[in-house]
Amino acid sequence: MTNQVVIQMVKLLKQASIKNDAPIWSKLAKLALKTSSARRVVNLTKINDVTKENDVIVVPGKVLGTGNVLHKVTLSSFSISNSAAKKIIESGGKIISFSEMIEKFPTGKGVSIIG
């Protein structure tokens, strides 16, 4: 059975996709419905390698704390380890919910999916 939180998030993403004509949110809604074993796992080393200062990213899976992020990023993910969250915040970055992400970037412009 799918978790109620996931169902709510999928609903929110689909509505945002339609309302803002933003395919990125609908793509994330589809990824959210995958089984947890099919979701991606991304560590901070990878995020550091593929992003630059002030990038806005979404990880449709779990973010783990291996490595470091040496610049500020704004991140939304389905799940994040405590060590990863701590390191992102320590580097000046932010972790925001999907609803905040949609509010700040309604069309998804400038938001990258990693993983």
Side-chain angles (χ1 to χ4, degrees):
M1 189 175 117
T2 311
N3 178 330
Q4 285 303 313
V5 176
V6 173
I7 292 168
Q8 286 304 107
M9 181 177 70
V10 166
K11 211 155 114 184
L12 178 80
L13 288 165
K14 284 182 175 171
Q15 287 167 347
S17 173
I18 293 162
K19 182 177 157 204
N20 304 305
D21 191 23
I24 186 171
W25 305 131
S26 139
K27 184 174 180 182
L28 283 169
K30 283 189 189 87
L31 292 169
L33 291 171
K34 283 189 169 180
T35 60
S36 51
S37 61
R39 288 198 194 133
R40 300 169 177 130
V41 176
V42 176
N43 61 39
L44 294 181
T45 303
K46 163 120 178 155
I47 290 174
N48 188 63
D49 291 348
V50 299
T51 61
K52 58 190 185 314
E53 184 78 22
N54 296 319
D55 274 1
V56 179
I57 56 173
V58 173
V59 175
K62 181 160 186 142
V63 178
L64 298 177
T66 308
N68 285 299
V69 177
L70 305 173
H71 48 265
K72 282 194 287 202
V73 294
T74 299
L75 167 85
S76 276
S77 64
F78 295 161
S79 161
I80 185 166
S81 72
N82 290 338
S83 62
K86 190 171 175 246
K87 289 177 181 178
I88 288 172
I89 291 164
E90 282 171 357
S91 69
K94 282 193 227 105
I95 294 147
I96 64 175
S97 68
F98 281 99
S99 55
E100 289 174 281
M101 184 68 83
I102 290 164
E103 206 174 289
K104 288 186 172 157
F105 307 94
T107 63
K109 193 168 164 42
V111 178
S112 305
I113 296 177
I114 292 181

